Amino acid sequence: MNTTTLPSSPIASIAPPVPSLLTLRGKVVVAAVLAILVVIIPVLNVMVPATSAFHMSDYAVSLLGKIMCYAICALAMDLIWGYTGILSLGHGLFFALGGYAMGMYLMRQIGRDGVYHSDLPDFMVFLDWKTAPWTWAGSESFIFQMILVVAVPGLLAFIFGYFAFRSRIKGVYFSIITQALTFAAMLLFFRNETGFGGNNGFTDFKRILGIPTATSSMRVTLCVLTGLVLLGFYLMSKAIIASKYGRVLQAIRDAEGRVLFTGYNTLWYKLSIWTLSAMMCGVAGALYVPQVGIINPGEMSPAASIEIAIWTAVGGRATLIGPIIGAFFVTGAKSWFTVAFPEYWLYFLGALFIAVTLFLPQGIVGLVRKLAAKGGVK
Amino acid sequence: MLRRITLYGLLLFAWLFAVSTASALSPESAKAIAVGDNDDRIKALSAALVTPDDNLSNLVEALLADTAKVAGDQVLIVTDGKAVIAATGAEAPLPAVVEDVVNNNRMRQALEGAKAAFGLFSDSVRVRNNAITELRESADESKLPLIDRALAKETDASLKAKLEQLRAAMLIASSDKQKRLDAIVALTASAQPSVKSLLQERMKAGVETDPEVRAALTTAIKTVEDRLAWGERLGVVFTGLSLGSILFLVALGLAITYGLMGVINMAHGELLMIGAYATYLVQNVFRKFMPGAFDYYIIAAIPLSFLAAALVGAILERTVIRWLYGRPLETLLATWGISLMLIQLVRTFFGAQNVPVENPSWLSGGVQVLPNLTLPFNRIAIIFFAFFVLAGVSLLISKTRLGLFVRGVTQNRSMAACMGVNTAKIDTYAFALGAGIAGLAGCALSQVGNVGPDLGQGYIVDSFMVVVLGGVGQLAGTVYAGLGLGVLNKFLEGWTGAVLAKIIVLVFIVVFIQRRPQGIFALKGRSAEA
Amino acid sequence: MPQITRRGALKTLTVALVSASLSSLVAAQSKDPIKVGVLHSLSGTMAISETVLKDVALMAIDEINAKGGVMGRKLEPVVVDPASNWPLFAEKARQLISNDKVAVTFGCWTSVSRKSVLPVFEELNSLLFYPVQYEGEELSKNVFYTGAAPNQQAIPAVEYLMSKDGGSAKRWVLLGTDYVYPRTTNKILRSFLKSKGVAEADIMEEYTPFGHSDYQTIIANIKKFSSEGKKTAVISTINGDSNVPFYKELGNQGLKATDVPVVAFSVGEEELRGVDTKPLVGHLAAWNYFMSLKNPANTEFTKKWADYAKKKGIAGHKDKPLTNDPMEATYIGIYMWKQAVEKAKSTDTDKVIAAMAGQTFKAPGGFTSTMDTKNHHLHKPVFIGEIKADGQFNVVWKTPGPVRANPWSPFIPGNDVKKDVPDGKTKI
């Protein structure tokens, strides 16, 4: 928790020394849940006939895939906010950049099947461009674009973070300038001249690696892949948090001044976790785009980034499972409310955020722990 | 330029070769003016202008005001349910079915031209002045006799000068070299933007061949350009100031709540919206119950928008924000939730569309300071308003007991509490004050832009930028940051276009904060680094 | 069918797909209500425009149900809120089609939302009726476009301004919000203007960011541009929310319609609700429908809407009911779909598409709108209206009859070889 913004208040909260990691049993459970997800889903979707009650519809598969992408973002946010105490209001930018890198490849994969039957993406034909701009160099190569998926957000985060952390920008100031950054990027991508399809962004993808995207099997593949990536990131984060490096991060969160005095150069700790977090978001974006079928600058709007923070907070900061639960809970609630109460869902969502911050400062995970602790006492 | 040639050509024709075809406005010609093909209508109007009379003048006015109606063969002027026959001026019963007269822009322009021709010989200086302004837009030789006649009668010196200039614009193409030179001199004295293109037209190859006149033209164009450039420069400064004053107003409330309590109030935009909707409601009440005093609704709206937003702010502080002090980043989430709810609340009650907030007549239009620079009254008023709000808030903070407590709590909360300040109460007051100022800003915004549920969303990022750039807890910082960003944005916009300007400003803020992490005015001393 | 080389899945997948389509066919035979999707944003930035389309769709569905429904079956609307979020549009579309099994969907406003849902409708072979004017350059077998294509709105408006009655404009300011619809429209207009002999120097193109609210500089530029030469007209493709600040500034800076007329393609009765229109008298808009049109069909339509709005207590409209072009287009779309279903005697997508060709409907616009037999667009009349002091429009010009849509504008290079028919099947 960062208290710099409220100069004279007593240290408001002293975070627990090391958040109690899940036990071995918990680890097994979490791994099992995810493993089951990635095995059961394909079976339910592809093997079980559509008439069966156990059939999982394509809609459910793509929704699940989408939410798992969000969960990766929330996890990335948790590393930087929950464990290092730096709130980013610009993670949507990294997510979108990863998505754009993937989208460029997908646009090239359309080949001549677009509206204008040209080698160039439709929007370029439309703008009378004869060749793709330099930013599109290499976009036909899957490997190259996959490198960009992590490299572009990573590099941007590194440069931005280097200057910001070196200047000791903290707390709310940092949050606000990350917001300015993503807002500026959104305006930039809205421009048609920027060369990424303007407001319409990229849509109408046809295939990945030559395989059609609009099929159940591709959707299931992507969904499973997302699940595996999420699991992988989860385990990685777990390892990070348990390591000495992770403990220094948490120390920075709790009292950066003391860490500095102890002789650590916090700049590199913060910068590395910040960059890693941005790269995770980039990967999430790349998985997201083929599943939802569109990427446009709307993903860079400040509101989108705030939502990432909200998933993390609702689920429970400084726990690794919390953000994942939060992403599922909030996005699931939104999906349900927008259908069940299209006119009133914002009331529910708004009330949810207020209630969580007021009554559940540790999020859903905190609530569960509290209840479990009470049950244990009894 | 050429658009009124037809009309004035006919006018001229009428005046020069007046033949007694019609003694006054006949019912037939009234009808011909009101209905039919626009070409024919304009012809009929010109023909009727040969013998202008009061009935024609009234008809022209009525056509412009949309009060002329057609019933059968008769053209009626209908005001307040009473009908007058246009051709005679006699009262007539109002028929059950009347047809509206549709005037498009071209027809309206012809009518306004006719009105101006009437006005040129009016007794009122103001009417004559308007008529001259109206005539200025089209300068061609066909109007020369009309201008000459007006010049002969004109007694007012300034109007006379304007007419001379008009005359010069027509004489610039004269075959007499001396007349052309005189015309250039007369035109140089005028600063109309249209003069430049008029002179440039003459400079085109083959139009003006005499070298002496060409030289005179070159100097004249230079002089006029210089003068116009001044108007443009002043224009940029004014637009920058205006944008800056708006940014300052929307950010001031945030500067107080954030600076004082460290609350990141994401619902700040919605407090602006509440202020704007309060203004809308006050406007409606005035329209319904006090239509006579409608122009002054804004006077009542200012305190009421303050109170409405302050009340909402106080409720928010008491119910939600109070429990989150010391957890600044969490207030962000809770207030984000509040913001969603407030938006939807307004949508439920007022609908998703924008609601109309009309400028009072004294805030509509603008004052022309230079021929190419018009300053809108509403923007001037907002600049002054921002100044008064600033003065008010500074006085409140520096001179009152409440202000003393607020400063005390800002500087050292626990010490203030030890001295017996009820910090909880001060928090509520201060938050309500910040919210109320947001309400005032909303009231101001209703005069320049949309009033709709999303009003606040458009300003939230901007207001945070201003506060962060200015430095927390510093009124002066907010002032400089708001005005600075406004002027910077407007300078860039003229240069790079609106989209890039906005991006550059944001990047500038990001870079600036890297250099000065605490904003323009950093808090010094112990409280700066805690 | 897709050609999948991935191991295993193909066979089971085919089985699943066939059984899925079978089950939907079975459902269609029964006397259950027919589900109809309504996909309009009720929150977020687009709610301002789209909410009312949801309401007018519900009104039309109520009307049809009151008269016995379609083929004796009631219509059951399924309303969802895609919240102005483009990926959410695609998700909700999939949900409507595959979970709720709707027979048809009425929805979308922005081009990006349409582009987002398009692959979903094509993949699942379902129907979308899109009711808003747009930039063209698209033709999908699964979409019926009931709004205007550029040649049904933009080009007639410019031609009018060039005419004597329109003021014989010679210089042009193309002003828009920086996104695809304005860019495309301006591109078409630029090449149209050039074909009419307008010089490059006589065209000024300006864009503003989304949600731009400070038009001081732009208006000053327009003033400067117009003072530099012959009669100037402004073509505005400014997006919904930015229009109010634009028009307020226009009025206050004293730029009158008789000096520099502004013709807008996204400003209708609903957008003017938030503006004091007195200083704007004479500025223009081009649409295929105006509320002020005088004909029996429109009188009935506006009255029905007023009653419905009052009955349902629709905020804003219950006190001051307004109708506009996209509302009319939504209304036409629903009725045409009903007629096509009755003609096809089925809600099956392909059969309905076949039956849509040549459908006619006596539209509130006063003309009989016809669905083109080939290109999925309506033949619509074009009206040009001047703003009146009460926020309504004076229709000052109209086409003699309905105009056929040209989704592939001839003013965009390469479009001459475009077919005017959607490709037969989804390309995979």
Side-chain angles (χ1 to χ4, degrees):
Chain A
M1 178 83 23
N2 195 319
T3 55
T4 49
T5 49
L6 197 65
S8 47
S9 76
I11 292 170
S13 70
I14 295 164
V18 177
S20 57
L21 288 169
L22 293 167
T23 56
L24 182 65
R25 191 176 55 111
K27 206 188 233 167
V28 170
V29 168
V30 170
V33 165
L34 279 173
I36 287 169
L37 275 178
V38 299
V39 177
I40 297 275
I41 297 159
V43 172
L44 288 188
N45 177 245
V46 180
M47 309 286 180
V48 177
T51 43
S52 157
F54 293 102
H55 173 71
M56 187 167 177
S57 67
D58 285 355
Y59 164 72
V61 171
S62 52
L63 182 62
L64 181 68
K66 187 177 107 170
I67 297 182
M68 287 198 292
C69 292
Y70 290 157
I72 297 175
C73 284
L75 194 62
M77 174 66 90
D78 194 33
L79 284 181
I80 190 75
W81 186 25
Y83 286 101
T84 321
I86 300 166
L87 173 58
S88 161
L89 293 182
H91 260 43
L93 172 60
F94 305 128
F95 179 76
L97 287 176
Y100 266 100
M102 183 66 165
M104 285 160 78
Y105 168 73
L106 294 173
M107 287 305 272
R108 281 341 252 299
Q109 279 276 303
I110 296 173
R112 286 174 171 264
D113 284 348
V115 171
Y116 295 103
H117 307 294
S118 160
D119 285 330
L120 290 177
D122 281 346
F123 74 89
M124 289 190 198
V125 180
F126 181 70
L127 289 170
D128 272 345
W129 292 354
K130 301 298 172 223
T131 50
W134 65 270
T135 38
W136 285 70
S139 57
E140 274 162 351
S141 152
F142 182 72
I143 307 286
F144 182 70
Q145 287 305 117
M146 289 313 104
I147 294 171
L148 286 191
V149 162
V150 287
V152 173
L155 195 66
L156 178 69
F158 183 84
I159 295 170
F160 177 82
Y162 177 76
F163 288 107
F165 296 134
R166 202 191 53 170
S167 316
R168 304 253 187 95
I169 301 175
K170 286 189 243 174
V172 177
Y173 283 91
F174 186 83
S175 308
I176 299 290
I177 61 166
T178 50
Q179 189 178 45
L181 189 72
T182 188
F183 191 58
M186 178 178 82
L187 292 175
L188 187 69
F189 274 69
F190 266 135
R191 288 163 46 89
N192 275 0
E193 279 88 355
T194 313
F196 298 104
N199 177 52
N200 278 7
F202 304 146
T203 50
D204 208 13
F205 308 128
K206 309 279 188 208
R207 51 185 92 79
I208 302 178
L209 293 169
I211 309 163
T213 48
T215 62
S216 286
S217 60
M218 178 50 90
R219 255 189 292 276
V220 168
T221 312
L222 286 169
C223 178
V224 168
L225 189 65
T226 314
L228 291 174
V229 171
L230 176 60
L231 182 65
F233 278 148
Y234 173 78
L235 296 174
M236 181 188 80
S237 308
K238 214 167 166 56
I240 289 176
I241 296 314
S243 69
K244 184 182 166 214
Y245 169 77
R247 280 164 184 268
V248 176
L249 292 182
Q250 290 165 64
I252 290 172
R253 172 192 66 191
D254 296 336
E256 186 174 357
R258 295 185 196 182
V259 179
L260 276 169
F261 294 139
T262 324
Y264 289 96
N265 186 352
T266 57
L267 169 66
W268 297 106
Y269 284 90
K270 290 201 280 187
L271 190 54
S272 54
I273 194 72
W274 166 249
T275 310
L276 178 73
S277 172
M279 288 156 98
M280 285 168 72
C281 276
V283 173
L287 288 165
Y288 175 81
V289 169
Q291 299 191 68
V292 300
I294 180 172
I295 176 76
N296 101 321
E299 302 295 336
M300 298 177 188
S301 72
S305 296
I306 291 176
E307 269 194 51
I308 300 180
I310 283 175
W311 300 326
T312 312
V314 168
R317 268 169 296 160
T319 66
L320 285 176
I321 194 69
I324 301 176
I325 294 174
F328 270 84
F329 183 70
V330 176
T331 322
K334 202 167 159 182
S335 272
W336 184 65
F337 281 142
T338 47
V339 179
F341 312 98
E343 314 243 358
Y344 302 104
W345 68 275
L346 279 174
Y347 292 123
F348 290 106
L349 210 61
L352 176 73
F353 298 156
I354 299 170
V356 165
T357 21
L358 282 186
F359 306 117
L360 302 175
Q362 302 301 319
I364 297 172
V365 171
L367 176 74
V368 171
R369 279 194 192 147
K370 219 186 212 166
L371 293 178
K374 255 185 200 162
V377 170
K378 276 175 194 169
Chain B
M1 204 64 65
L2 297 172
R3 51 205 146 132
R4 288 191 202 148
I5 289 185
T6 336
L7 169 65
Y8 288 109
L10 286 160
L11 269 178
L12 170 73
F13 176 85
W15 258 295
L16 291 184
F17 309 98
V19 265
S20 54
T21 43
S23 57
L25 183 68
S26 67
E28 292 76 33
S29 60
K31 174 137 195 238
I33 292 171
V35 280
D37 184 69
N38 281 340
D39 281 337
D40 298 338
R41 289 174 67 190
I42 291 174
K43 236 178 247 170
L45 178 66
S46 314
L49 276 170
V50 173
T51 50
D53 63 1
D54 283 350
N55 287 333
L56 179 62
S57 165
N58 289 342
L59 176 62
V60 168
E61 295 274 353
L63 283 167
L64 281 170
D66 270 342
T67 52
K69 312 276 166 184
V70 179
D73 276 340
Q74 258 177 351
V75 181
L76 303 172
I77 299 172
V78 182
T79 36
D80 302 328
K82 276 189 208 140
V84 173
I85 296 171
T88 59
E91 278 199 33
L94 183 63
V97 187
V98 288
E99 265 180 69
D100 286 345
V101 176
V102 176
N103 299 312
N104 72 356
N105 282 331
R106 181 175 164 222
M107 195 62 214
R108 226 178 359 256
Q109 197 157 33
L111 289 166
E112 269 163 16
K115 193 175 150 192
F118 279 115
L120 218 44
F121 303 98
S122 154
D123 290 338
S124 146
V125 176
R126 204 169 58 84
V127 174
R128 289 208 301 276
N129 188 19
N130 287 345
I132 293 171
T133 316
E134 189 63 36
L135 284 174
R136 195 188 267 156
E137 308 232 329
S138 55
D140 60 80
E141 229 164 330
S142 67
K143 278 181 299 183
L144 204 52
L146 185 68
I147 304 287
D148 280 342
R149 259 173 47 148
L151 255 177
K153 278 195 180 175
E154 186 57 68
T155 47
D156 185 284
S158 71
L159 290 188
K160 225 176 166 117
K162 281 186 181 175
L163 281 169
E164 290 282 5
Q165 275 171 11
L166 263 179
R167 197 163 169 273
M170 290 158 198
L171 285 176
I172 188 122
S174 163
S175 51
D176 183 342
K177 180 178 156 193
Q178 194 52 45
K179 274 190 183 167
R180 291 207 301 275
L181 283 171
D182 289 348
I184 291 169
V185 173
L187 282 175
T188 316
S190 140
Q192 290 305 313
S194 56
V195 165
K196 185 180 152 197
S197 56
L198 189 69
L199 294 174
Q200 273 170 340
E201 197 71 20
R202 299 293 304 164
M203 278 303 278
K204 280 191 187 151
V207 180
E208 179 62 73
T209 43
D210 190 296
E212 196 186 333
V213 183
R214 279 188 82 87
L217 275 170
T218 317
T219 18
I221 288 174
K222 178 95 185 40
T223 319
V224 173
E225 268 179 352
D226 284 353
R227 205 173 302 132
L228 288 176
W230 264 109
E232 278 167 35
R233 264 172 242 149
L234 282 177
V236 172
V237 173
F238 176 80
T239 52
L241 275 181
S242 171
L243 178 63
S245 65
I246 289 171
L247 286 176
F248 161 73
L249 268 179
V250 299
L252 183 61
L254 196 68
I256 290 174
T257 50
Y258 177 52
L260 187 67
M261 296 169 236
V263 172
I264 309 178
N265 186 9
M266 294 304 283
H268 178 73
E270 280 54 56
L271 294 169
L272 299 173
M273 176 190 75
I274 287 170
Y277 270 93
T279 310
Y280 164 70
L281 289 178
V282 171
Q283 173 208 250
N284 284 0
V285 168
F286 267 69
R287 182 171 291 153
K288 194 155 186 196
F289 300 106
M290 290 172 271
F294 181 77
D295 269 350
Y296 303 99
Y297 81 84
I298 196 81
I299 310 282
I302 289 172
L304 285 172
S305 56
F306 179 90
L307 287 177
L311 185 70
V312 173
I315 294 171
L316 291 185
E317 203 277 340
R318 283 273 156 178
T319 53
V320 178
I321 290 159
R322 150 137 324 193
W323 312 104
L324 298 172
Y325 287 127
R327 296 192 280 159
L329 295 179
E330 292 182 18
T331 55
L332 184 149
L333 302 184
T335 50
W336 178 251
I338 293 171
S339 136
L340 293 183
M341 290 174 81
L342 286 177
I343 292 175
Q344 195 62 21
L345 199 69
V346 168
R347 224 175 249 144
T348 310
F349 281 107
F350 295 94
Q353 322 80 1
N354 290 327
V355 294
V357 175
E358 211 171 295
N359 291 352
S361 59
W362 55 279
L363 283 179
S364 306
V367 53
Q368 191 163 29
V369 259
L370 286 173
N372 62 341
L373 179 63
T374 306
L375 306 184
F377 290 125
N378 58 351
R379 293 198 174 268
I380 298 174
I382 288 177
I383 293 176
F384 279 103
F385 183 61
F387 178 77
F388 283 121
V389 171
L390 172 66
V393 172
S394 335
L395 282 180
L396 186 76
I397 299 283
S398 62
K399 300 283 184 221
T400 63
R401 197 168 167 77
L402 174 66
L404 180 71
F405 288 165
V406 166
R407 275 180 293 146
V409 174
T410 312
Q411 282 161 14
N412 196 329
R413 177 175 296 265
S414 28
M415 192 59 82
C418 292
M419 302 299 280
V421 176
N422 183 346
T423 57
K425 207 158 135 196
I426 294 298
D427 283 337
T428 310
Y429 285 153
F431 196 85
L433 174 68
I437 290 168
L440 289 180
C443 178
L445 286 177
S446 73
Q447 298 301 309
V448 286
N450 283 311
V451 180
D454 289 327
L455 177 136
Q457 297 288 300
Y459 288 97
I460 188 76
V461 174
D462 283 340
S463 39
F464 269 110
M465 297 306 146
V466 171
V467 172
V468 165
L469 187 67
V472 173
Q474 298 284 327
L475 280 186
T478 312
V479 177
Y480 286 113
L483 291 182
L485 285 184
V487 173
L488 178 70
N489 203 331
K490 283 295 158 188
F491 265 104
L492 287 171
E493 193 178 327
W495 193 29
T496 63
V499 185
L500 273 182
K502 184 97 195 172
I503 296 173
I504 295 172
V505 166
L506 287 166
V507 172
F508 165 79
I509 293 172
V510 171
V511 173
F512 187 90
I513 296 294
Q514 314 272 7
R515 308 296 310 163
R516 298 195 64 152
Q518 303 287 326
I520 303 175
F521 287 88
L523 279 178
K524 299 230 164 51
R526 195 171 294 193
S527 54
E529 185 83 24
Chain C
M1 275 318 287
Q3 301 146 12
I4 309 169
T5 49
R6 291 182 64 81
R7 269 172 293 149
L10 178 62
K11 206 174 256 176
T12 31
L13 172 72
T14 318
V15 170
L17 279 180
V18 168
S19 57
S21 50
L22 270 178
S23 67
S24 67
L25 271 181
V26 171
Q29 304 283 300
S30 69
K31 281 285 164 192
D32 294 340
I34 303 174
K35 286 194 178 174
V36 174
V38 180
L39 184 66
H40 284 298
S41 299
L42 310 177
S43 57
T45 49
M46 290 314 296
I48 176 175
S49 304
E50 289 194 66
T51 313
V52 71
L53 295 192
K54 175 215 72 177
D55 289 318
V56 85
L58 293 181
M59 174 181 95
I61 290 169
D62 273 7
E63 249 174 64
I64 291 171
N65 282 341
K67 288 184 194 144
V70 177
M71 298 187 302
R73 293 166 65 187
K74 292 263 191 261
L75 298 183
E76 182 188 325
V78 183
V79 179
V80 293
D81 177 15
S84 314
N85 177 327
W86 320 133
L88 204 57
F89 262 92
E91 184 194 316
K92 294 288 164 202
R94 189 175 289 280
Q95 187 175 16
L96 283 173
I97 301 165
S98 58
N99 285 16
D100 294 310
K101 306 266 187 290
V102 298
V104 61
T105 303
F106 299 92
C108 297
W109 180 292
T110 58
S111 284
V112 54
S113 67
R114 190 189 64 249
K115 292 215 182 279
S116 166
V117 299
L118 193 67
V120 179
F121 279 91
E122 289 185 344
E123 182 199 337
L124 302 172
N125 195 24
S126 186
L127 269 181
L128 172 71
F129 278 72
Y130 176 69
V132 184
Q133 95 282 9
Y134 80 119
E135 66 276 7
E137 301 298 304
E138 188 184 291
L139 204 50
S140 165
K141 149 182 179 284
N142 296 83
V143 183
F144 283 95
Y145 305 81
T146 58
N151 73 314
Q152 291 173 310
Q153 191 186 25
I155 293 198
V158 172
E159 278 174 334
Y160 172 74
L161 288 175
M162 284 179 157
S163 74
K164 208 163 147 197
D165 260 333
S168 322
K170 298 278 186 282
R171 284 160 69 83
W172 303 86
V173 180
L174 307 179
L175 175 65
T177 305
D178 197 359
Y179 72 111
V180 174
Y181 169 67
R183 288 268 181 187
T184 315
T185 308
N186 288 345
K187 186 182 158 112
I188 293 171
L189 289 181
R190 192 177 260 273
S191 100
F192 173 75
L193 289 172
K194 277 192 196 148
S195 79
K196 293 277 171 183
V198 177
E200 192 72 40
D202 286 335
I203 304 175
M204 170 175 132
E205 215 171 320
E206 280 266 2
Y207 292 97
T208 57
F210 266 88
H212 193 63
S213 57
D214 191 300
Y215 278 91
Q216 300 182 84
T217 310
I218 303 251
I219 305 257
N221 288 348
I222 293 175
K223 272 177 128 174
K224 188 171 171 221
F225 183 78
S226 71
S227 74
E228 279 166 356
K230 297 200 177 72
K231 175 84 176 181
T232 304
V234 179
I235 314 275
S236 156
T237 36
I238 292 176
N239 170 271
D241 247 6
S242 295
N243 274 304
V244 175
F246 171 68
Y247 278 115
K248 274 199 176 169
E249 195 68 35
L250 199 65
N252 286 334
Q253 292 250 12
L255 217 52
K256 280 184 300 183
T258 42
D259 307 329
V260 181
V262 178
V263 60
F265 303 146
S266 318
V267 175
E269 291 83 353
E270 191 72 4
E271 284 74 19
L272 288 181
R273 186 195 283 275
V275 201
D276 173 18
T277 43
K278 280 182 220 86
L280 304 181
V281 169
H283 288 302
L284 307 109
W287 289 106
N288 309 109
Y289 168 84
F290 282 111
M291 188 182 177
S292 60
L293 287 170
K294 287 200 177 72
N295 65 66
N298 190 33
T299 314
E300 193 194 337
F301 178 63
T302 46
K303 178 161 188 325
K304 275 195 284 202
W305 171 247
D307 293 346
Y308 184 82
K310 193 156 279 169
K311 196 175 89 194
K312 297 279 168 179
I314 296 168
H317 285 270
K318 62 174 187 265
D319 307 317
K320 189 183 173 193
L322 290 179
T323 54
N324 64 14
D325 181 280
M327 286 167 76
E328 189 226 15
T330 303
Y331 191 75
I332 297 176
I334 294 180
Y335 269 94
M336 278 204 172
W337 172 79
K338 168 186 184 271
Q339 293 168 7
V341 169
E342 282 165 350
K343 185 179 170 202
K345 299 198 175 54
S346 160
T347 57
D348 177 75
T349 303
D350 291 327
K351 287 184 189 154
V352 174
I353 291 174
M356 275 300 289
Q359 281 295 340
T360 57
F361 180 70
K362 186 98 187 65
F367 288 80
T368 300
S369 290
T370 313
M371 178 54 71
D372 192 74
T373 47
K374 289 194 305 201
N375 73 8
H376 285 216
H377 285 66
L378 281 177
H379 295 213
K380 310 182 93 177
V382 186
F383 300 99
I384 295 186
E386 284 182 3
I387 299 174
K388 289 198 293 185
D390 61 356
Q392 290 287 333
F393 289 86
N394 247 342
V395 176
V396 293
W397 184 86
K398 65 180 175 206
T399 48
V403 179
R404 185 176 187 275
N406 236 338
W408 306 107
S409 173
F411 295 101
I412 286 186
N415 273 356
D416 38 343
V417 298
K418 284 276 173 230
K419 275 186 297 177
D420 204 17
V421 201
D423 288 335
K425 61 177 175 55
T426 316
K427 291 176 297 284
I428 286 184

